[in-house]
PDB file of all heavy atoms in Angstrom:
ATOM      1  N   THR A   1      66.524  87.679  48.471  1.00 95.00           N
ATOM      2  CA  THR A   1      66.156  88.924  47.791  1.00 95.00           C
ATOM      3  C   THR A   1      66.966  89.252  46.685  1.00 95.00           C
ATOM      4  O   THR A   1      66.952  90.351  46.011  1.00 95.00           O
ATOM      5  CB  THR A   1      66.028  90.147  48.819  1.00 95.00           C
ATOM      6  OG1 THR A   1      67.388  90.323  49.350  1.00 95.00           O
ATOM      7  CG2 THR A   1      65.034  89.860  49.764  1.00 95.00           C
ATOM      8  N   GLY A   2      67.953  88.391  46.350  1.00 94.00           N
ATOM      9  CA  GLY A   2      68.911  88.572  45.218  1.00 94.00           C
ATOM     10  C   GLY A   2      70.054  89.518  45.417  1.00 94.00           C
ATOM     11  O   GLY A   2      70.689  89.935  44.483  1.00 94.00           O
ATOM     12  N   GLU A   3      70.222  89.915  46.719  1.00 97.00           N
ATOM     13  CA  GLU A   3      71.399  90.804  47.008  1.00 97.00           C
ATOM     14  C   GLU A   3      72.557  89.950  47.336  1.00 97.00           C
ATOM     15  O   GLU A   3      73.031  89.824  48.529  1.00 97.00           O
ATOM     16  CB  GLU A   3      70.955  91.753  48.222  1.00 97.00           C
ATOM     17  CG  GLU A   3      69.740  92.607  47.914  1.00 97.00           C
ATOM     18  CD  GLU A   3      69.239  93.300  49.135  1.00 97.00           C
ATOM     19  OE1 GLU A   3      70.028  94.197  49.546  1.00 97.00           O
ATOM     20  OE2 GLU A   3      68.157  92.981  49.652  1.00 97.00           O
ATOM     21  N   LEU A   4      73.061  89.334  46.168  1.00 97.00           N
ATOM     22  CA  LEU A   4      74.052  88.352  46.432  1.00 97.00           C
ATOM     23  C   LEU A   4      75.471  88.866  46.872  1.00 97.00           C
ATOM     24  O   LEU A   4      76.096  88.151  47.675  1.00 97.00           O
ATOM     25  CB  LEU A   4      74.362  87.529  45.018  1.00 97.00           C
ATOM     26  CG  LEU A   4      73.019  86.891  44.523  1.00 97.00           C
ATOM     27  CD1 LEU A   4      73.318  86.274  43.167  1.00 97.00           C
ATOM     28  CD2 LEU A   4      72.539  85.870  45.505  1.00 97.00           C
ATOM     29  N   GLY A   5      75.770  90.155  46.512  1.00 97.00           N
ATOM     30  CA  GLY A   5      77.139  90.640  47.057  1.00 97.00           C
ATOM     31  C   GLY A   5      77.006  90.869  48.408  1.00 97.00           C
ATOM     32  O   GLY A   5      77.933  90.572  49.238  1.00 97.00           O
ATOM     33  N   ASP A   6      75.929  91.444  49.053  1.00 97.00           N
ATOM     34  CA  ASP A   6      75.731  91.588  50.459  1.00 97.00           C
ATOM     35  C   ASP A   6      75.785  90.292  51.096  1.00 97.00           C
ATOM     36  O   ASP A   6      76.205  90.113  52.291  1.00 97.00           O
ATOM     37  CB  ASP A   6      74.376  92.447  50.702  1.00 97.00           C
ATOM     38  CG  ASP A   6      74.501  93.878  50.325  1.00 97.00           C
ATOM     39  OD1 ASP A   6      75.654  94.370  50.189  1.00 97.00           O
ATOM     40  OD2 ASP A   6      73.464  94.402  50.011  1.00 97.00           O
ATOM     41  N   ALA A   7      75.028  89.302  50.530  1.00 97.00           N
ATOM     42  CA  ALA A   7      74.997  87.984  51.160  1.00 97.00           C
ATOM     43  C   ALA A   7      76.430  87.392  51.255  1.00 97.00           C
ATOM     44  O   ALA A   7      76.709  86.865  52.414  1.00 97.00           O
ATOM     45  CB  ALA A   7      74.050  87.004  50.371  1.00 97.00           C
ATOM     46  N   LEU A   8      77.098  87.399  50.342  1.00 98.00           N
ATOM     47  CA  LEU A   8      78.548  86.952  50.377  1.00 98.00           C
ATOM     48  C   LEU A   8      79.383  87.755  51.312  1.00 98.00           C
ATOM     49  O   LEU A   8      80.137  87.156  52.157  1.00 98.00           O
ATOM     50  CB  LEU A   8      79.164  86.991  48.931  1.00 98.00           C
ATOM     51  CG  LEU A   8      80.517  86.369  48.819  1.00 98.00           C
ATOM     52  CD1 LEU A   8      80.574  84.970  49.290  1.00 98.00           C
ATOM     53  CD2 LEU A   8      81.172  86.476  47.478  1.00 98.00           C
ATOM     54  N   ASP A   9      79.258  88.969  51.371  1.00 97.00           N
ATOM     55  CA  ASP A   9      79.941  89.836  52.281  1.00 97.00           C
ATOM     56  C   ASP A   9      79.671  89.390  53.761  1.00 97.00           C
ATOM     57  O   ASP A   9      80.427  89.180  54.628  1.00 97.00           O
ATOM     58  CB  ASP A   9      79.712  91.339  52.074  1.00 97.00           C
ATOM     59  CG  ASP A   9      80.354  91.932  50.908  1.00 97.00           C
ATOM     60  OD1 ASP A   9      81.231  91.285  50.258  1.00 97.00           O
ATOM     61  OD2 ASP A   9      79.827  92.958  50.517  1.00 97.00           O
ATOM     62  N   GLN A  10      78.421  89.166  54.021  1.00 96.00           N
ATOM     63  CA  GLN A  10      77.851  88.960  55.342  1.00 96.00           C
ATOM     64  C   GLN A  10      78.382  87.403  55.687  1.00 96.00           C
ATOM     65  O   GLN A  10      78.956  87.416  56.864  1.00 96.00           O
ATOM     66  CB  GLN A  10      76.289  89.025  55.445  1.00 96.00           C
ATOM     67  CG  GLN A  10      75.738  88.662  56.706  1.00 96.00           C
ATOM     68  CD  GLN A  10      75.998  89.934  57.655  1.00 96.00           C
ATOM     69  OE1 GLN A  10      76.005  91.044  57.198  1.00 96.00           O
ATOM     70  NE2 GLN A  10      76.084  89.618  58.882  1.00 96.00           N
ATOM     71  N   VAL A  11      78.204  86.601  54.846  1.00 97.00           N
ATOM     72  CA  VAL A  11      78.649  85.263  55.257  1.00 97.00           C
ATOM     73  C   VAL A  11      80.189  85.098  55.390  1.00 97.00           C
ATOM     74  O   VAL A  11      80.694  84.280  56.257  1.00 97.00           O
ATOM     75  CB  VAL A  11      78.115  84.250  54.237  1.00 97.00           C
ATOM     76  CG1 VAL A  11      78.793  84.045  53.061  1.00 97.00           C
ATOM     77  CG2 VAL A  11      77.893  82.767  54.901  1.00 97.00           C
ATOM     78  N   SER A  12      80.903  85.714  54.563  1.00 97.00           N
ATOM     79  CA  SER A  12      82.390  85.747  54.673  1.00 97.00           C
ATOM     80  C   SER A  12      82.865  86.339  55.876  1.00 97.00           C
ATOM     81  O   SER A  12      83.783  85.846  56.517  1.00 97.00           O
ATOM     82  CB  SER A  12      82.945  86.587  53.451  1.00 97.00           C
ATOM     83  OG  SER A  12      82.742  85.857  52.135  1.00 97.00           O
ATOM     84  N   HIS A  13      82.168  87.468  56.326  1.00 95.00           N
ATOM     85  CA  HIS A  13      82.489  88.048  57.667  1.00 95.00           C
ATOM     86  C   HIS A  13      82.309  87.189  58.845  1.00 95.00           C
ATOM     87  O   HIS A  13      83.092  86.972  59.595  1.00 95.00           O
ATOM     88  CB  HIS A  13      81.712  89.373  57.783  1.00 95.00           C
ATOM     89  CG  HIS A  13      81.927  90.121  59.128  1.00 95.00           C
ATOM     90  ND1 HIS A  13      83.130  90.666  59.397  1.00 95.00           N
ATOM     91  CD2 HIS A  13      81.147  90.272  60.172  1.00 95.00           C
ATOM     92  CE1 HIS A  13      82.981  91.254  60.664  1.00 95.00           C
ATOM     93  NE2 HIS A  13      81.879  91.072  61.080  1.00 95.00           N
ATOM     94  N   MET A  14      81.161  86.348  58.746  1.00 96.00           N
ATOM     95  CA  MET A  14      80.952  85.380  59.793  1.00 96.00           C
ATOM     96  C   MET A  14      82.029  84.283  59.869  1.00 96.00           C
ATOM     97  O   MET A  14      82.524  83.842  60.929  1.00 96.00           O
ATOM     98  CB  MET A  14      79.596  84.777  59.639  1.00 96.00           C
ATOM     99  CG  MET A  14      78.535  85.424  59.929  1.00 96.00           C
ATOM    100  SD  MET A  14      76.814  84.722  59.821  1.00 96.00           S
ATOM    101  CE  MET A  14      76.693  84.710  57.984  1.00 96.00           C
ATOM    102  N   ILE A  15      82.484  83.895  58.599  1.00 96.00           N
ATOM    103  CA  ILE A  15      83.502  82.796  58.578  1.00 96.00           C
ATOM    104  C   ILE A  15      84.865  83.362  58.964  1.00 96.00           C
ATOM    105  O   ILE A  15      85.527  82.674  59.691  1.00 96.00           O
ATOM    106  CB  ILE A  15      83.539  82.183  57.088  1.00 96.00           C
ATOM    107  CG1 ILE A  15      82.313  81.427  56.783  1.00 96.00           C
ATOM    108  CG2 ILE A  15      84.779  81.310  56.891  1.00 96.00           C
ATOM    109  CD1 ILE A  15      82.138  81.205  55.343  1.00 96.00           C
ATOM    110  N   ASP A  16      85.093  84.632  58.771  1.00 95.00           N
ATOM    111  CA  ASP A  16      86.329  85.267  59.211  1.00 95.00           C
ATOM    112  C   ASP A  16      86.363  85.267  60.750  1.00 95.00           C
ATOM    113  O   ASP A  16      87.464  84.880  61.307  1.00 95.00           O
ATOM    114  CB  ASP A  16      86.510  86.670  58.725  1.00 95.00           C
ATOM    115  CG  ASP A  16      86.795  86.860  57.325  1.00 95.00           C
ATOM    116  OD1 ASP A  16      87.297  85.917  56.607  1.00 95.00           O
ATOM    117  OD2 ASP A  16      86.617  87.958  56.763  1.00 95.00           O
ATOM    118  N   ILE A  17      85.208  85.469  61.397  1.00 94.00           N
ATOM    119  CA  ILE A  17      85.256  85.549  62.780  1.00 94.00           C
ATOM    120  C   ILE A  17      85.061  84.087  63.404  1.00 94.00           C
ATOM    121  O   ILE A  17      85.741  83.833  64.439  1.00 94.00           O
ATOM    122  CB  ILE A  17      83.868  86.341  63.335  1.00 94.00           C
ATOM    123  CG1 ILE A  17      84.173  87.833  62.809  1.00 94.00           C
ATOM    124  CG2 ILE A  17      83.683  86.170  64.793  1.00 94.00           C
ATOM    125  CD1 ILE A  17      82.829  88.646  63.136  1.00 94.00           C
ATOM    126  N   ARG A  18      84.395  83.304  62.742  1.00 94.00           N
ATOM    127  CA  ARG A  18      84.262  81.820  63.209  1.00 94.00           C
ATOM    128  C   ARG A  18      84.434  80.908  61.960  1.00 94.00           C
ATOM    129  O   ARG A  18      83.414  80.574  61.510  1.00 94.00           O
ATOM    130  CB  ARG A  18      82.785  81.634  63.934  1.00 94.00           C
ATOM    131  CG  ARG A  18      82.526  82.181  65.164  1.00 94.00           C
ATOM    132  CD  ARG A  18      82.788  81.243  66.268  1.00 94.00           C
ATOM    133  NE  ARG A  18      82.434  79.885  66.170  1.00 94.00           N
ATOM    134  CZ  ARG A  18      81.111  79.463  66.468  1.00 94.00           C
ATOM    135  NH1 ARG A  18      80.269  80.172  66.977  1.00 94.00           N
ATOM    136  NH2 ARG A  18      80.881  78.160  66.370  1.00 94.00           N
ATOM    137  N   PRO A  19      85.650  80.502  61.706  1.00 93.00           N
ATOM    138  CA  PRO A  19      85.817  79.786  60.612  1.00 93.00           C
ATOM    139  C   PRO A  19      85.204  78.289  60.732  1.00 93.00           C
ATOM    140  O   PRO A  19      85.030  77.570  59.721  1.00 93.00           O
ATOM    141  CB  PRO A  19      87.437  79.469  60.634  1.00 93.00           C
ATOM    142  CG  PRO A  19      87.897  80.527  61.469  1.00 93.00           C
ATOM    143  CD  PRO A  19      86.752  80.960  62.318  1.00 93.00           C
ATOM    144  N   ASP A  20      84.772  77.933  61.961  1.00 92.00           N
ATOM    145  CA  ASP A  20      84.183  76.640  62.067  1.00 92.00           C
ATOM    146  C   ASP A  20      82.609  76.745  62.066  1.00 92.00           C
ATOM    147  O   ASP A  20      81.908  75.682  62.492  1.00 92.00           O
ATOM    148  CB  ASP A  20      84.523  76.054  63.441  1.00 92.00           C
ATOM    149  CG  ASP A  20      84.230  76.851  64.584  1.00 92.00           C
ATOM    150  OD1 ASP A  20      84.020  78.154  64.471  1.00 92.00           O
ATOM    151  OD2 ASP A  20      84.117  76.381  65.810  1.00 92.00           O
ATOM    152  N   PHE A  21      82.037  77.838  61.664  1.00 94.00           N
ATOM    153  CA  PHE A  21      80.636  78.065  61.746  1.00 94.00           C
ATOM    154  C   PHE A  21      80.006  77.410  60.509  1.00 94.00           C
ATOM    155  O   PHE A  21      79.939  77.843  59.307  1.00 94.00           O
ATOM    156  CB  PHE A  21      80.143  79.584  61.629  1.00 94.00           C
ATOM    157  CG  PHE A  21      78.695  79.843  61.905  1.00 94.00           C
ATOM    158  CD1 PHE A  21      77.966  79.072  62.671  1.00 94.00           C
ATOM    159  CD2 PHE A  21      78.264  80.825  61.159  1.00 94.00           C
ATOM    160  CE1 PHE A  21      76.562  79.367  62.701  1.00 94.00           C
ATOM    161  CE2 PHE A  21      76.890  81.277  61.387  1.00 94.00           C
ATOM    162  CZ  PHE A  21      76.155  80.443  62.167  1.00 94.00           C
ATOM    163  N   LEU A  22      79.626  76.175  60.539  1.00 95.00           N
ATOM    164  CA  LEU A  22      79.267  75.283  59.432  1.00 95.00           C
ATOM    165  C   LEU A  22      78.156  75.834  58.706  1.00 95.00           C
ATOM    166  O   LEU A  22      78.052  75.742  57.477  1.00 95.00           O
ATOM    167  CB  LEU A  22      78.864  73.842  60.129  1.00 95.00           C
ATOM    168  CG  LEU A  22      80.175  73.223  60.760  1.00 95.00           C
ATOM    169  CD1 LEU A  22      79.659  71.864  61.365  1.00 95.00           C
ATOM    170  CD2 LEU A  22      81.255  73.024  59.815  1.00 95.00           C
ATOM    171  N   GLN A  23      77.062  76.337  59.300  1.00 94.00           N
ATOM    172  CA  GLN A  23      75.975  76.960  58.520  1.00 94.00           C
ATOM    173  C   GLN A  23      76.450  78.005  57.563  1.00 94.00           C
ATOM    174  O   GLN A  23      75.935  78.070  56.381  1.00 94.00           O
ATOM    175  CB  GLN A  23      74.860  77.459  59.459  1.00 94.00           C
ATOM    176  CG  GLN A  23      74.116  76.630  60.215  1.00 94.00           C
ATOM    177  CD  GLN A  23      72.940  77.263  61.124  1.00 94.00           C
ATOM    178  OE1 GLN A  23      72.537  78.312  60.673  1.00 94.00           O
ATOM    179  NE2 GLN A  23      72.801  76.713  62.221  1.00 94.00           N
ATOM    180  N   ALA A  24      77.426  78.834  57.994  1.00 96.00           N
ATOM    181  CA  ALA A  24      77.986  79.777  57.026  1.00 96.00           C
ATOM    182  C   ALA A  24      78.728  79.244  55.944  1.00 96.00           C
ATOM    183  O   ALA A  24      78.561  79.719  54.781  1.00 96.00           O
ATOM    184  CB  ALA A  24      78.732  80.759  57.919  1.00 96.00           C
ATOM    185  N   LEU A  25      79.564  78.163  56.120  1.00 95.00           N
ATOM    186  CA  LEU A  25      80.192  77.516  55.097  1.00 95.00           C
ATOM    187  C   LEU A  25      79.305  76.847  54.012  1.00 95.00           C
ATOM    188  O   LEU A  25      79.524  76.993  52.813  1.00 95.00           O
ATOM    189  CB  LEU A  25      81.108  76.519  55.577  1.00 95.00           C
ATOM    190  CG  LEU A  25      82.329  76.873  56.457  1.00 95.00           C
ATOM    191  CD1 LEU A  25      83.040  75.677  57.090  1.00 95.00           C
ATOM    192  CD2 LEU A  25      83.306  77.689  55.668  1.00 95.00           C
ATOM    193  N   GLU A  26      78.128  76.362  54.530  1.00 96.00           N
ATOM    194  CA  GLU A  26      77.140  75.741  53.518  1.00 96.00           C
ATOM    195  C   GLU A  26      76.565  76.854  52.773  1.00 96.00           C
ATOM    196  O   GLU A  26      76.446  76.651  51.444  1.00 96.00           O
ATOM    197  CB  GLU A  26      76.253  74.912  54.202  1.00 96.00           C
ATOM    198  CG  GLU A  26      75.186  74.263  53.308  1.00 96.00           C
ATOM    199  CD  GLU A  26      74.080  73.532  53.933  1.00 96.00           C
ATOM    200  OE1 GLU A  26      73.729  73.739  55.119  1.00 96.00           O
ATOM    201  OE2 GLU A  26      73.588  72.604  53.331  1.00 96.00           O
ATOM    202  N   LEU A  27      76.026  77.823  53.482  1.00 97.00           N
ATOM    203  CA  LEU A  27      75.485  79.031  52.812  1.00 97.00           C
ATOM    204  C   LEU A  27      76.383  79.667  51.708  1.00 97.00           C
ATOM    205  O   LEU A  27      75.923  80.136  50.740  1.00 97.00           O
ATOM    206  CB  LEU A  27      74.857  79.989  53.809  1.00 97.00           C
ATOM    207  CG  LEU A  27      74.025  81.071  53.341  1.00 97.00           C
ATOM    208  CD1 LEU A  27      72.890  80.689  52.491  1.00 97.00           C
ATOM    209  CD2 LEU A  27      73.589  81.981  54.404  1.00 97.00           C
ATOM    210  N   LYS A  28      77.563  79.842  52.193  1.00 98.00           N
ATOM    211  CA  LYS A  28      78.573  80.455  51.210  1.00 98.00           C
ATOM    212  C   LYS A  28      78.561  79.579  49.898  1.00 98.00           C
ATOM    213  O   LYS A  28      78.621  80.160  48.758  1.00 98.00           O
ATOM    214  CB  LYS A  28      79.860  80.521  51.887  1.00 98.00           C
ATOM    215  CG  LYS A  28      80.903  81.222  50.916  1.00 98.00           C
ATOM    216  CD  LYS A  28      82.259  81.462  51.723  1.00 98.00           C
ATOM    217  CE  LYS A  28      83.137  82.297  50.798  1.00 98.00           C
ATOM    218  NZ  LYS A  28      84.515  82.428  51.482  1.00 98.00           N
ATOM    219  N   GLY A  29      78.549  78.297  49.985  1.00 97.00           N
ATOM    220  CA  GLY A  29      78.423  77.469  48.622  1.00 97.00           C
ATOM    221  C   GLY A  29      77.356  77.849  47.899  1.00 97.00           C
ATOM    222  O   GLY A  29      77.459  78.072  46.749  1.00 97.00           O
ATOM    223  N   TRP A  30      76.124  78.013  48.516  1.00 97.00           N
ATOM    224  CA  TRP A  30      74.927  78.355  47.648  1.00 97.00           C
ATOM    225  C   TRP A  30      75.045  79.857  47.055  1.00 97.00           C
ATOM    226  O   TRP A  30      74.642  79.936  45.982  1.00 97.00           O
ATOM    227  CB  TRP A  30      73.709  78.126  48.530  1.00 97.00           C
ATOM    228  CG  TRP A  30      73.320  76.675  48.683  1.00 97.00           C
ATOM    229  CD1 TRP A  30      73.488  76.021  49.864  1.00 97.00           C
ATOM    230  CD2 TRP A  30      72.873  75.769  47.818  1.00 97.00           C
ATOM    231  NE1 TRP A  30      73.194  74.798  49.740  1.00 97.00           N
ATOM    232  CE2 TRP A  30      72.857  74.647  48.430  1.00 97.00           C
ATOM    233  CE3 TRP A  30      72.727  75.827  46.426  1.00 97.00           C
ATOM    234  CZ2 TRP A  30      72.457  73.375  47.748  1.00 97.00           C
ATOM    235  CZ3 TRP A  30      72.400  74.603  45.812  1.00 97.00           C
ATOM    236  CH2 TRP A  30      72.237  73.436  46.539  1.00 97.00           C
ATOM    237  N   ILE A  31      75.660  80.718  47.861  1.00 98.00           N
ATOM    238  CA  ILE A  31      75.735  82.028  47.464  1.00 98.00           C
ATOM    239  C   ILE A  31      76.841  82.042  46.295  1.00 98.00           C
ATOM    240  O   ILE A  31      76.436  82.703  45.198  1.00 98.00           O
ATOM    241  CB  ILE A  31      76.222  82.977  48.550  1.00 98.00           C
ATOM    242  CG1 ILE A  31      75.073  83.075  49.574  1.00 98.00           C
ATOM    243  CG2 ILE A  31      76.534  84.297  47.993  1.00 98.00           C
ATOM    244  CD1 ILE A  31      75.529  83.696  50.925  1.00 98.00           C
ATOM    245  N   LEU A  32      77.889  81.412  46.459  1.00 98.00           N
ATOM    246  CA  LEU A  32      78.953  81.477  45.312  1.00 98.00           C
ATOM    247  C   LEU A  32      78.253  80.826  44.067  1.00 98.00           C
ATOM    248  O   LEU A  32      78.510  81.318  42.962  1.00 98.00           O
ATOM    249  CB  LEU A  32      80.186  80.612  45.877  1.00 98.00           C
ATOM    250  CG  LEU A  32      80.963  81.296  46.816  1.00 98.00           C
ATOM    251  CD1 LEU A  32      81.933  80.431  47.489  1.00 98.00           C
ATOM    252  CD2 LEU A  32      81.729  82.539  46.260  1.00 98.00           C
ATOM    253  N   TYR A  33      77.608  79.727  44.271  1.00 97.00           N
ATOM    254  CA  TYR A  33      76.862  79.086  43.051  1.00 97.00           C
ATOM    255  C   TYR A  33      75.998  80.181  42.338  1.00 97.00           C
ATOM    256  O   TYR A  33      76.066  80.333  41.199  1.00 97.00           O
ATOM    257  CB  TYR A  33      76.079  77.831  43.365  1.00 97.00           C
ATOM    258  CG  TYR A  33      75.408  77.374  42.150  1.00 97.00           C
ATOM    259  CD1 TYR A  33      76.146  76.570  41.215  1.00 97.00           C
ATOM    260  CD2 TYR A  33      74.089  77.719  41.825  1.00 97.00           C
ATOM    261  CE1 TYR A  33      75.474  76.256  39.913  1.00 97.00           C
ATOM    262  CE2 TYR A  33      73.432  77.366  40.712  1.00 97.00           C
ATOM    263  CZ  TYR A  33      74.083  76.570  39.832  1.00 97.00           C
ATOM    264  OH  TYR A  33      73.550  76.259  38.599  1.00 97.00           O
ATOM    265  N   SER A  34      75.268  80.832  43.209  1.00 96.00           N
ATOM    266  CA  SER A  34      74.204  81.961  42.594  1.00 96.00           C
ATOM    267  C   SER A  34      74.957  83.016  41.957  1.00 96.00           C
ATOM    268  O   SER A  34      74.429  83.563  40.919  1.00 96.00           O
ATOM    269  CB  SER A  34      73.437  82.380  43.754  1.00 96.00           C
ATOM    270  OG  SER A  34      72.670  81.426  44.327  1.00 96.00           O
ATOM    271  N   LEU A  35      76.153  83.278  42.335  1.00 97.00           N
ATOM    272  CA  LEU A  35      76.922  84.350  41.719  1.00 97.00           C
ATOM    273  C   LEU A  35      77.757  83.796  40.409  1.00 97.00           C
ATOM    274  O   LEU A  35      78.478  84.498  39.802  1.00 97.00           O
ATOM    275  CB  LEU A  35      78.072  84.896  42.707  1.00 97.00           C
ATOM    276  CG  LEU A  35      77.512  85.762  43.722  1.00 97.00           C
ATOM    277  CD1 LEU A  35      78.524  85.896  44.869  1.00 97.00           C
ATOM    278  CD2 LEU A  35      77.191  87.125  43.223  1.00 97.00           C
ATOM    279  N   GLY A  36      77.500  82.525  40.212  1.00 97.00           N
ATOM    280  CA  GLY A  36      78.194  81.972  38.972  1.00 97.00           C
ATOM    281  C   GLY A  36      79.564  81.456  39.206  1.00 97.00           C
ATOM    282  O   GLY A  36      80.302  81.068  38.310  1.00 97.00           O
ATOM    283  N   LYS A  37      80.049  81.454  40.525  1.00 98.00           N
ATOM    284  CA  LYS A  37      81.229  81.002  40.923  1.00 98.00           C
ATOM    285  C   LYS A  37      81.194  79.576  41.263  1.00 98.00           C
ATOM    286  O   LYS A  37      81.332  79.155  42.545  1.00 98.00           O
ATOM    287  CB  LYS A  37      81.924  81.841  42.117  1.00 98.00           C
ATOM    288  CG  LYS A  37      81.959  83.306  41.656  1.00 98.00           C
ATOM    289  CD  LYS A  37      82.429  84.110  42.811  1.00 98.00           C
ATOM    290  CE  LYS A  37      82.483  85.642  42.418  1.00 98.00           C
ATOM    291  NZ  LYS A  37      83.171  86.473  43.317  1.00 98.00           N
ATOM    292  N   LYS A  38      81.120  78.636  40.299  1.00 97.00           N
ATOM    293  CA  LYS A  38      80.716  77.388  40.548  1.00 97.00           C
ATOM    294  C   LYS A  38      81.928  76.465  41.249  1.00 97.00           C
ATOM    295  O   LYS A  38      81.791  75.689  42.015  1.00 97.00           O
ATOM    296  CB  LYS A  38      80.297  76.661  39.270  1.00 97.00           C
ATOM    297  CG  LYS A  38      78.920  77.179  38.805  1.00 97.00           C
ATOM    298  CD  LYS A  38      78.518  76.840  37.432  1.00 97.00           C
ATOM    299  CE  LYS A  38      77.186  77.501  37.181  1.00 97.00           C
ATOM    300  NZ  LYS A  38      77.096  77.718  35.642  1.00 97.00           N
TER     301      LYS A  38
END
């Protein structure tokens, strides 16, 4: 839905809780790219 800040906050929170949560690490990459943080 283009709510990239919320997406990044949500996925970062998951990684803080579970640094080994692989789906979150991958999704974070796509979110960061979408935010222009290549």
Side-chain angles (χ1 to χ4, degrees):
T1 59
E3 298 173 67
L4 301 176
D6 290 334
L8 184 59
D9 289 346
Q10 185 68 34
V11 80
S12 296
H13 179 68
M14 284 185 284
I15 293 169
D16 287 344
I17 293 169
R18 285 268 318 269
D20 63 337
F21 187 34
L22 298 176
Q23 287 181 33
L25 290 173
E26 181 182 29
L27 184 57
K28 185 175 183 180
W30 290 111
I31 295 166
L32 288 166
Y33 176 80
S34 297
L35 285 165
K37 298 178 178 189
K38 295 171 182 158

